């Protein structure tokens, strides 16, 4: 019995000391998290894209409207060391001709076309501030995974007044990195979708966005030899 215990302990110690030296670095890489800013909405086109709005069929004439306005959530003012007078937010105003299943989407645009913002690493949550007008509307975040499938992530209702910080968790089952060499490198952000409750007023509604960022394990998909993934065999000699 004692002999067997000694053999088991020796085997355990062998596994510990025989582990590759880089295994700890790999573990830390997978756990390392960073926060990336997508857009602080302080100026149009600052990040290489702008924002546009589209709406369902019963949108009222002259809508939607969008623009940048002076402002920032009070909770963020105390985090600013400078530039307090240059803070702006993105605003959208919408109206529909009748109640029902109406919706509108706010999405990035680049070179005159809808643009999907690529994420870095493996995203765990998307974080932004939204200004609600106490209407029973529902907010969704739309993303596209590495296999090209679109996912709608519920972000709650907008039945509150003023600014609120919204944090949307990204489910682990969403594939963020394609196993195919010709697949997409990362998940991407498509836009926001706001849906009206069928019984809610639709004569005029205003919403604002600010400080959109995300938390990610930025190095989760980096491995030893990652640079060879993009090796160009175009000028190589074949047999």
């Amino acid at each position: 019995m004692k002999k067997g215990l000694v053999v088991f302990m020796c085997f355990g110690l062998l596994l510990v000391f025989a582990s590759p030296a880089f295994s700890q670095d790999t573990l830390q890489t997978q756990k390392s998290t960073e926060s990336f800013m997508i857009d602080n909405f302080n100026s149009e086109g600052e990040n290489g894209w702008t924002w546009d709005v589209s709406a369902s069929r019963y949108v009222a004439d002259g809508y939607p409207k969008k623009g940048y306005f002076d402002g920032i959530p009070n909770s963020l003012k105390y985090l600013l060391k400078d530039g307090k007078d240059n803070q702006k937010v993105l605003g959208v105003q919408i109206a529909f001709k009748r109640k029902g299943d109406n919706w509108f989407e706010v999405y990035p645009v680049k070179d005159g076309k809808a643009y999907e913002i690529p994420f870095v690493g493996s995203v765990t949550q998307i974080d932004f501030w939204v200004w609600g007008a106490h209407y029973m509307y529902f907010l969704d975040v739309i993303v596209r995974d590495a296999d090209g499938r679109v996912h709608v992530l519920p972000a709650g209702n907008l039945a509150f007044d003023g600014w609120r910080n919204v944090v949307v968790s990204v489910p682990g089952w969403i594939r963020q990195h394609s196993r195919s060499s010709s697949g997409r490198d990362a998940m991407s952000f498509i836009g926001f979708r706001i849906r009206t409750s069928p019984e809610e007023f639709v004569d005029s509604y205003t919403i604002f966005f600010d400080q959109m960022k995300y938390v990610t394990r930025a190095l989760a998909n980096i491995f030893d030899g990652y640079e060879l993934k993009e090796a160009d065999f175009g000028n190589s000699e074949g047999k």
Side-chain angles (χ1 to χ4, degrees):
M1 181 69 178
K2 291 183 178 180
K3 183 178 179 180
L5 179 61
V6 172
V7 173
F8 177 78
M9 293 178 64
C10 291
F11 180 71
L13 291 173
L14 180 63
L15 289 177
V16 172
F17 289 106
S19 298
F22 58 81
S23 62
Q24 292 296 324
D25 293 335
T26 301
L27 184 60
Q28 292 301 320
T29 295
Q30 292 175 344
K31 290 184 177 181
S32 177
T33 60
E34 295 185 51
S35 179
F36 286 85
M37 180 69 71
I38 295 179
D39 205 332
N40 57 17
F41 303 104
N42 283 340
S43 62
E44 187 171 10
E46 181 180 21
N47 299 301
W49 61 77
T50 58
W51 293 83
D52 205 352
V53 188
S54 62
S56 53
R57 60 180 299 185
Y58 294 113
V59 62
D61 296 338
Y63 292 92
K65 301 177 181 179
K66 64 179 178 66
Y68 287 82
F69 299 84
D70 294 333
I72 187 174
N74 281 332
S75 299
L76 297 180
K77 290 181 179 179
Y78 302 101
L79 300 178
L80 299 176
K81 296 181 179 179
D82 52 19
K84 292 183 178 180
D85 298 329
N86 299 319
Q87 303 301 312
K88 292 186 179 297
V89 299
L90 174 67
V92 175
Q93 189 174 55
I94 193 81
F96 294 96
K97 298 177 181 179
R98 64 177 221 183
K99 294 181 180 181
D101 296 322
N102 302 295
W103 56 266
F104 64 98
E105 294 181 353
V106 183
Y107 56 93
V109 173
K110 188 174 183 178
D111 298 328
K113 299 179 181 179
Y115 173 65
E116 297 183 12
I117 302 173
F119 290 105
V120 174
S122 295
V123 181
T124 57
Q125 62 185 39
I126 302 170
D127 183 315
F128 54 92
W129 287 79
V130 60
W131 187 96
H134 215 133
Y135 280 33
M136 186 52 73
Y137 288 6
F138 300 92
L139 176 63
D140 298 321
V141 174
I142 308 175
V143 300
R144 189 186 304 277
D145 69 16
D147 292 331
R149 289 187 291 263
V150 174
H151 300 272
V152 178
L153 307 180
N157 65 64
L158 296 165
F160 56 85
D161 290 312
W163 288 108
R164 176 174 291 183
N165 183 216
V166 176
V167 178
V168 178
S169 297
V170 178
W173 49 263
I174 292 181
R175 186 181 295 279
Q176 300 195 37
H177 307 284
S178 176
R179 293 186 299 169
S180 170
S181 59
S182 60
R184 295 163 57 89
D185 291 332
M187 183 177 71
S188 58
F189 170 78
I190 296 178
F192 296 105
R193 178 181 293 158
I194 297 89
R195 297 173 290 112
T196 70
S197 174
E199 302 301 324
E200 186 57 279
F201 295 107
V202 295
D203 54 326
S204 180
Y205 180 76
T206 303
I207 189 172
F208 297 92
F209 295 95
D210 197 18
Q211 298 291 315
M212 183 182 179
K213 55 184 181 293
Y214 62 96
V215 176
T216 179
R217 297 192 299 274
L219 303 178
N221 200 44
I222 304 299
F223 49 84
D224 191 10
Y226 179 82
E227 67 279 2
L228 294 175
K229 188 176 181 181
E230 302 299 329
D232 185 3
F233 283 82
N235 297 321
S236 301
E237 295 183 0
K239 291 185 178 181

